[in-house]
Amino acid sequence: AASGVARDNTYLHDADGKLVKNGLLIEGSAPNYVRNSQALDGSPSVNRWTTRSTTISTSNVLAPDNTNFGYILTPTSDSNWHQLISSAFSVDINVVYTASIYAKAAGSSIVRLTLENAGIFPDIANHAVFDLSSGIVISGRGATISPMTNGWYRLTATYTAKASGSATMACGVGATLSVGVVSDGILLWGGQTENSSSASSYVPTTTGQATRAADVFTANSVTRAADVTTSSSATRANESVNSTIESGGWFYHNEGTFTVTAKHINGSYL
């Protein structure tokens, strides 16, 4: 949503895997360390994505935002890891990082996602591997797959940095090093890596990194359950006043934390 516009049409998966309305989305600040998150073809001259035994080009398939187009990644016929690799970014020791990207089958349904630098992420041998045909995680501790619109999925993989240094994000076709089949492609869009144990909503970037500011919700319609009268300000300071905020359909009571800060307006208590 644009700045200042509430994101009140979000959905999540319940315990049965069904999509249910999540109400108003209120998130903390989150970065995206991956540059050129939507220019996966390496077209920018700086901080560009690179290919390893693959080719990549713009497709005619709409991305999950229904505005831009996804990119199709196709393996070459040699024996290698067939993948797309971001430009490098800095990571810090003992910090948890989550990589995420949107993917859709386009010949191949097996996708691999990881953070690369064996000295920093020694557990990258446990690549997160996904099956886009059935929408499942094949392997990867803490990996997740979430269905989006029109056959797209958002894939995530989480790792802890064992040292400080420089790392990259990589996404590839197939689960292992193999001989490529040129008809086995995947569609990709919206790469992201952040210092979190889970993926936040997508933060687009260009040639530099970007950070989304924390969401702040303001309700202007607040009513007190009853008037309160007291004889001293000292007594008022310790009173509990029951108030209600008209939540309508935006508040989903089973998820998240709701915090209210009250303050004086013209000498009165809310």
Side-chain angles (χ1 to χ4, degrees):
S3 177
V5 177
R7 294 179 288 174
D8 59 356
N9 61 345
T10 58
Y11 290 81
L12 54 75
H13 291 85
D14 64 12
D16 298 320
K18 297 179 181 178
L19 281 174
V20 295
K21 192 163 186 179
N22 188 30
L24 183 66
L25 177 61
I26 303 177
E27 294 185 292
S29 176
N32 185 358
Y33 301 128
V34 173
R35 303 167 177 89
N36 295 307
S37 63
Q38 293 174 197
L40 306 185
D41 60 352
S43 55
S45 60
V46 294
N47 299 321
R48 59 193 301 171
W49 293 75
T50 56
T51 57
R52 177 182 296 158
S53 294
T54 54
T55 60
I56 190 164
S57 59
T58 306
S59 75
N60 59 359
V61 178
L62 280 175
D65 66 349
N66 288 318
T67 300
N68 296 285
F69 291 96
Y71 292 84
I72 185 163
L73 184 72
T74 304
T76 54
S77 58
D78 57 330
S79 178
N80 205 339
W81 294 100
H82 304 280
Q83 56 190 12
L84 179 68
I85 306 166
S86 74
S87 62
F89 49 85
S90 297
V91 296
D92 295 318
I93 188 172
N94 296 328
V95 175
V96 177
Y97 293 89
T98 294
S100 60
I101 199 164
Y102 297 89
K104 180 177 180 176
S108 175
S109 61
I110 305 301
V111 183
R112 182 181 67 259
L113 178 63
T114 190
L115 293 176
E116 290 202 329
N117 184 323
I120 295 176
F121 299 107
D123 53 353
I124 60 171
N126 300 303
H127 301 143
V129 180
F130 310 86
D131 185 343
L132 301 179
S133 64
S134 54
I136 63 171
V137 176
I138 296 176
S139 63
R141 294 189 300 270
T144 69
I145 181 170
S146 303
M148 300 288 127
T149 59
N150 300 321
W152 287 92
Y153 289 89
R154 194 180 192 196
L155 318 177
T156 78
T158 301
Y159 302 94
T160 300
K162 304 303 182 183
S164 297
S166 181
T168 58
M169 170 183 166
C171 186
V173 181
T176 61
L177 186 151
S178 61
V179 175
V181 178
V182 294
S183 60
D184 286 352
I186 53 172
L187 288 158
L188 298 173
W189 185 80
Q192 180 160 310
T193 297
E194 56 198 291
N195 55 339
S196 173
S197 59
S198 61
S200 65
S201 60
Y202 173 57
V203 180
T205 64
T206 54
T207 55
Q209 297 174 348
T211 299
R212 182 188 58 251
D215 292 325
V216 177
F217 171 62
T218 302
N220 294 320
S221 175
V222 180
T223 58
R224 285 173 53 171
D227 289 335
V228 177
T229 58
T230 57
S231 58
S232 70
S233 59
T235 304
R236 277 180 180 245
N238 295 313
E239 276 181 352
S240 175
V241 179
N242 292 323
S243 299
T244 60
I245 298 176
E246 299 301 325
S247 63
W250 59 261
F251 182 60
Y252 184 67
H253 67 279
N254 288 332
E255 295 287 336
T257 301
F258 186 63
T259 303
V260 175
T261 301
K263 64 180 180 180
H264 291 198
I265 295 181
N266 298 326
S268 297
Y269 279 79
L270 295 178

